[in-house]
Amino acid sequence: MSNNKATDPAQVFGEWVTNWERAVNSFSNKLMETDDFSRAVNSVQNTQLQMQKVFAEMMAKQLANLNMPSRNDVLDLVEAMHALENRFEKMEMQLKKISGAMEAGTKTKAKGPARTKKAPADAKK
Amino acid sequence: MSSEQIDSSSIRDKVDRMINRTVQRSVKGLDFIRSRKEPVGLTPKDLIYERGTLRLYHYHSNADEVYRIPLIIVMATTNKSYLFDLLPGQSMVEYLLNKGFDVYMIDWNDPVQQERHLGLADYTQDFIPSCIEKVQESCGEEQVSILGYCMGGVLSTIYAATHSDGPLSNLVCLTTPVNWHEMGLFSRWNDERYFDVDKLVDTVGIIPGDFIASGFDMLRPAQKLASRIRVWDNMWNDDYVQSYRAFDRWGSETVPLAGEYFRDTTKELMWKNKLHRGELEVAGKSANLANITIPIMHTIAEHDHIVPVAASRPLLELVSSEDKEELVLKGGHVSLIAGPNAVKRMWPNVSHWLAKRSV
C-alpha cells in the first residue's frame, strides 16, 4: 500500500504542496508575531496615512481656490440627505406601528406556509 | 495471474489516468481561465428591507408547514452572506429550508462614506432590532431565533445581552470571538503600542475591503498559492473546481467596514477585552454576557485560524443560560459553514438543536 502511495506522482505532489504550505505559513507566522514586525508594519502604515492626509488637505485648498466644492463638502451634503432618509424611514415605521395598533389589537398574519411544524420525534429538549 | 502481470496492468492504469487528467487539465484549464464568476447565492429570496449598508432577505420556503419561530441569520460584517448559500447542495440556507425553517438573512452592503460614523451601537441597537421588527411584520410571530456567524455572532450576543426581555428565543453562535486577547496574530498586529487606529479611521473614514482581506491573507500567506496549485491539480474534477471558484469568489469580495465600528471593535473588544470582562457598554446599556439567559448553542471550529478556539470557547462559560450546548467540529473558519464536515455534522446538529426549540 505504502509502495502504491510512493509511486503515485499525483499523491506525492499533493503531499509536497501541503508540506510546503504548512512550512511557509508556520515560518511566516513566527516572523509576524514578533514586536519588530508589528512596529515596522504600523510605522509604514502611519507614514502612508500621513501622506494621504497631507495630499487631501492640499487638494481641498486647491479646490477652494477654484471655488469648487471639496470631497468633504459633497460628503456633508450626502450625509444631510442620508439623515433625512433615516428620519423618513423612522416616521414610516412609526406610522406602520400606529396603523397596526389600530387594527383591533390583533396582528394580521402574513401569507405563507402554516407555522405548525412539530419537532422530530427524536428531538428531546 | 502473476505479480508481474498485476504490476504492469497497475502501472498501465496509472499512466492512462495521468495522461487522461493531463489532457483534461489543458482543456478545462482554458475554460477555467475564460469563465465568468461562479454564480452563487441562488436560493430564491426577497429583499424585504434595505437601509444603507443593511439588507434583510427572506428566503422562499418550499415546505407546506414551517416551524413557528423564524430564524434570522446575522452575517459577519466583513463578508457576503452567500457563504450560507454557496451552491445548490452546498447551502446551509437550502438545508434549513428543506428542514422546515422560515429563514431570514441580515447581509451587509459596502458602507459608503456617509456611513463612516456607524458604530457597534448602530449595528446592535438599531439594525438588528429594526430587522427583528421587519421579520415580525413579515411572518406575524413575536418570537425569533438568531444565528450569528463570527462578528455576526458578536453583534448577536451584544444584542441578546442588551435585550434580555426582548423577543429573542434562541441564539446560535458560530465561531464567535469573545476573549479578544486570544485572537492570535490579529492581537499582535493591532497592539495599541504601535497601531494608531484613530489615525487610520480619521484618515480613511471607511476601512477598505482590500485592507481587511490582506489581513486575513497574511494569517496564512501560502494558502492562496497552494489552493491555486491544488485546483490546477484537480482541474479534471468539475465539482472540485466549482466549489473552489465559489469559495474564491467569496474570499475576494470582502466588505469594507464603517470606520467608527472598526474603532469600537479595536478599542473596546481587541484592546480592552470588555466583552470577555463583562464591562462592555453599548448605547448606555450593559452588554454583560451574563445577561443572556435564553437557550444558546455555540459551534466552534477546531482548526480556526481566524478565531482561535481559545478566543471563542469562553462564550458559554460567561452566559447565564441553563440550556446551553457547545459543538466543536473539525475544520476551519470557513469550511465550518460550507465545507464537507458542515454538510455532514454542523447543519444537522444546528437544525436538530433549533427544531425542538422553534415550535
Side-chain angles (χ1 to χ4, degrees), chain B residues 117-356:
Chain B
H117 299 305
L118 295 174
L120 266 180
D122 296 286
Y123 283 81
T124 58
Q125 311 300 308
D126 181 5
F127 289 164
I128 292 181
S130 296
C131 285
I132 290 176
E133 276 185 36
K134 293 287 174 190
V135 170
Q136 289 169 328
E137 277 173 28
S138 161
C139 70
E141 285 296 332
E142 281 295 319
Q143 292 175 294
V144 298
S145 297
I146 284 185
L147 182 150
Y149 172 50
C150 189
M151 268 310 286
V154 174
L155 300 179
S156 304
T157 52
I158 293 173
Y159 166 79
T162 50
H163 293 78
S164 46
D165 55 350
L168 186 57
S169 294
N170 307 296
L171 178 60
V172 179
C173 292
L174 306 177
T175 187
T176 294
V178 172
N179 185 355
W180 286 70
H181 282 176
E182 294 289 345
M183 284 293 278
L185 286 175
F186 280 136
S187 311
R188 307 288 300 182
W189 299 337
N190 291 344
D191 189 324
E192 62 179 305
R193 287 174 299 170
Y194 312 122
F195 179 46
D196 192 344
V197 68
D198 290 326
K199 185 180 253 182
L200 175 66
V201 171
D202 294 342
T203 307
V204 298
I206 298 288
I207 309 301
D210 290 347
F211 177 86
I212 298 157
S214 62
F216 290 139
D217 288 345
M218 277 168 66
L219 292 174
R220 285 190 174 168
Q223 190 177 37
K224 231 172 198 172
L225 182 57
S227 302
R228 281 177 189 166
I229 294 170
R230 279 193 200 101
V231 78
W232 172 80
D233 194 29
N234 287 282
M235 198 59 80
W236 50 273
N237 181 342
D238 291 340
D239 290 342
Y240 186 97
V241 173
Q242 188 186 32
S243 183
Y244 167 84
R245 292 183 67 221
F247 274 118
D248 189 54
R249 176 178 174 180
W250 181 80
S252 65
E253 292 182 353
T254 308
V255 178
L257 290 176
E260 210 56 46
Y261 171 78
F262 186 75
R263 192 188 334 245
D264 283 349
T265 308
T266 304
K267 287 187 174 176
E268 302 295 296
L269 304 182
M270 185 74 81
W271 289 354
K272 295 175 186 163
N273 209 10
K274 284 188 173 178
L275 191 61
H276 189 236
R277 289 182 177 153
E279 294 166 359
L280 184 67
E281 282 199 8
V282 180
K285 294 181 192 171
S286 164
N288 190 335
L289 293 174
N291 297 343
I292 298 176
T293 55
I294 54 167
I296 180 169
M297 180 189 203
H298 192 194
T299 302
I300 295 170
E302 210 173 278
H303 305 293
D304 194 331
H305 69 294
I306 293 174
V307 180
V309 173
S312 56
R313 183 145 251 169
L315 175 59
L316 292 195
E317 294 160 16
L318 295 171
V319 298
S320 303
S321 311
E322 286 178 11
D323 181 358
K324 53 187 173 181
E325 189 171 325
E326 185 179 79
L327 180 65
V328 183
L329 295 176
K330 286 199 185 302
H333 193 73
V334 180
S335 66
L336 178 78
I337 310 302
N341 211 27
V343 182
K344 280 187 225 145
R345 290 202 59 201
M346 199 274 269
W347 302 350
N349 271 289
V350 168
S351 166
H352 193 257
W353 188 88
L354 268 174
K356 52 194 171 186

Side-chain angles (χ1 to χ4, degrees), chain A residues 7 21 25 29 32-33 35 38 42 45 50 78 89 93 107 109-110 114-117 124, chain B residues 14 49 65-66 68 99 102 114 133 138 141-142 188-189 194 211 218-222 230 356:
Chain A
T7 54
E21 183 187 9
N25 285 342
N29 285 355
M32 289 187 290
E33 70 184 10
D35 268 8
S38 296
N42 283 299
Q45 184 178 286
Q50 191 61 39
V78 175
E89 172 69 27
M93 282 174 76
K107 281 200 166 182
K109 289 233 172 188
R115 314 187 75 81
T116 49
K117 189 172 172 67
K124 291 176 191 169
Chain B
K14 279 180 185 168
Y49 183 49
E65 190 180 41
V66 294
R68 182 178 65 82
K99 288 287 174 187
D102 190 14
Q114 67 264 29
E133 276 185 36
S138 161
E141 285 296 332
E142 281 295 319
R188 307 288 300 182
W189 299 337
Y194 312 122
F211 177 86
M218 277 168 66
L219 292 174
R220 285 190 174 168
R230 279 193 200 101
K356 52 194 171 186

